[in-house]
Amino acid sequence: DGTDAAAMGLRAGDRLLEIDGRPVGDLQAILAAFERNTGPRIAVVVERGRERLALTGRFPPEARLGAPRTIFP
């Protein structure tokens, strides 16, 4: 669909487990991970069905400005 999330392999229904090597269990942890990331790349671990997948992708500057929707629609 042309988003950075799609380009890195994220799909609707994926459950975020880690961002940049740190576990994320709620929205606050996800937002904190975005703030810590100094990019230009981001690494995530997701659960898809019964699989755990490690994905990496671009982390655009606008994500660090409090707009995670640009990465995860």
Side-chain angles (χ1 to χ4, degrees):
D1 67 15
T3 64
D4 293 309
M8 72 187 290
L10 285 172
R11 295 183 188 168
D14 285 351
R15 186 172 149 239
L16 277 171
L17 302 176
E18 297 178 15
I19 297 177
D20 290 333
R22 295 182 184 206
V24 291
D26 58 26
L27 181 58
Q28 292 294 21
I30 292 169
L31 294 175
F34 287 151
E35 289 297 317
R36 278 192 304 274
N37 184 292
T38 57
R41 310 229 9 112
I42 192 165
V44 300
V45 174
V46 300
E47 181 178 80
R48 182 179 298 156
R50 294 182 179 178
E51 290 184 273
R52 285 175 63 104
L53 304 170
L55 308 170
T56 59
R58 220 173 64 80
F59 192 72
E62 56 272 16
R64 285 183 286 285
L65 298 176
R69 68 187 171 283
T70 63
I71 297 176
F72 303 106

